[in-house]
């Protein structure tokens, strides 16, 4: 899948950063579930959490490939206002999660995974899948997988509590992931590009 996409030359989209973050989020989500590092109300389907985590930012890919001007506006706004990518999207009304959700609605993906992709930054009433994606996404950010300079993890305290994680545990998880998995994830992505 990684090799099947060719970025338009005029795009500012960074393919390696995208795949490092996406693959990292999926692998981290799998580790959290299989090693029982988070509390889940019920078992999650592998396909839902794996595909949901792998494709949670697919809207960024769509924006970067097909709406290069919007991606450039977002990146420029982010730099000028010294804000996060997410805040730049909010300011400019260009949400990658909604773009991804709309694209995946026409696929054969499960409803839960489509919902998680479309809402991975809105946590008003999260289910286990959405909470898992939130934690895995932010752990990937915390270890520097595919992040922009200055882009920080933003863990929701309620989500952490519901998943049985303390702030200290998140710090230890990040350190363990950094030591055990980050270089391997980067190597996998580099070999595919």
């Amino acid at each position: 899948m990684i090799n099947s996409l060719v970025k338009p030359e005029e795009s500012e989209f960074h393919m390696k950063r995208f795949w490092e973050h996406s693959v990292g989020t999926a692998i981290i989500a799998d580790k959290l579930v299989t090693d029982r590092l988070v509390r889940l109300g019920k078992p999650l389907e592998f396909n839902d959490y794996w595909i949901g985590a792998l494709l949670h930012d697919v809207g960024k890919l769509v924006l970067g490939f097909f709406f290069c001007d919007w991606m450039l506006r977002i990146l420029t706004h982010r730099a000028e206002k010294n804000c996060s990518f997410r805040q730049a999207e909010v300011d400019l009304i260009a949400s990658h999660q909604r773009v991804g959700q709309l694209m995946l609605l026409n696929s054969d993906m499960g409803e839960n995974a489509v919902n998680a992709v479309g809402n991975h930054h809105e946590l008003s009433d999260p289910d286990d899948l959405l909470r898992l994606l939130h934690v895995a996404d932010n752990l990937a950010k915390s270890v520097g997988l595919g992040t922009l300079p200055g882009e920080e993890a933003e863990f929701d305290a309620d989500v952490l509590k519901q998943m049985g994680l303390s702030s200290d545990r998140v710090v230890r998880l990040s350190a363990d992931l950094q030591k055990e998995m980050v270089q391997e994830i980067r190597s996998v992505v580099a070999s595919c590009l």
Side-chain angles (χ1 to χ4, degrees):
M1 186 163 99
I2 291 172
N3 280 324
S4 68
L5 301 169
V6 179
K7 176 184 76 147
E9 286 185 29
E10 67 274 12
S11 176
E12 296 291 321
F13 187 75
H14 195 277
M15 185 74 81
K16 183 178 178 185
R17 187 169 48 232
F18 171 80
W19 283 116
E20 274 186 7
H21 182 70
S22 297
V23 170
T25 300
I27 290 172
I28 290 168
D30 187 52
K31 181 172 182 61
L32 293 172
V33 172
T34 58
D35 291 357
R36 296 186 174 122
L37 299 173
V38 293
R39 182 174 51 228
L40 299 171
K42 60 181 178 175
L44 292 174
E45 292 292 323
F46 173 79
N47 285 345
D48 283 345
Y49 75 75
W50 180 261
I51 293 172
L54 188 62
L55 298 179
H56 77 282
D57 278 343
V58 73
K60 288 182 180 179
L61 184 82
V62 172
L63 287 170
F65 273 42
F66 303 106
F67 301 97
C68 303
D69 58 330
W70 270 106
M71 182 59 79
L72 182 58
R73 286 182 201 175
I74 292 168
L75 293 172
T76 301
H77 183 80
R78 180 186 178 278
E80 289 173 354
K81 300 295 183 187
N82 194 28
C83 63
S84 69
F85 185 90
R86 175 74 186 115
Q87 186 59 52
E89 284 185 305
V90 169
D91 292 349
L92 298 175
I93 313 170
S95 163
H96 73 275
Q97 66 268 19
R98 291 291 176 254
V99 170
Q101 183 179 34
L102 289 171
M103 187 185 91
L104 295 176
L105 280 171
N106 291 318
S107 70
D108 195 20
M109 250 176 90
E111 182 181 332
N112 291 340
V114 172
N115 181 54
V117 167
N119 295 295
H120 70 272
H121 287 295
E122 283 88 33
L123 300 167
S124 59
D125 186 25
D127 60 11
D128 280 344
L129 179 59
L130 192 51
R131 285 191 289 270
L132 177 66
L133 259 59
H134 171 76
V135 171
D137 176 32
N138 282 291
L139 281 169
K141 287 177 185 174
S142 74
V143 296
L145 285 169
T147 56
L148 292 164
E151 202 74 29
E152 301 294 326
E154 297 177 11
F155 292 97
D156 182 273
D158 289 336
V159 168
L160 291 180
K161 184 178 179 180
Q162 292 164 347
M163 304 233 28
L165 295 171
S166 66
S167 296
D168 290 342
R169 179 68 179 130
V170 168
V171 170
R172 287 191 306 273
L173 268 173
S174 293
D176 291 346
L177 293 169
Q178 183 71 47
K179 191 179 348 174
E180 298 169 12
M181 301 174 77
V182 169
Q183 190 52 48
E184 181 181 347
I185 291 166
R186 287 188 172 134
S187 295
V188 167
V189 171
S191 71
C192 292
L193 290 175

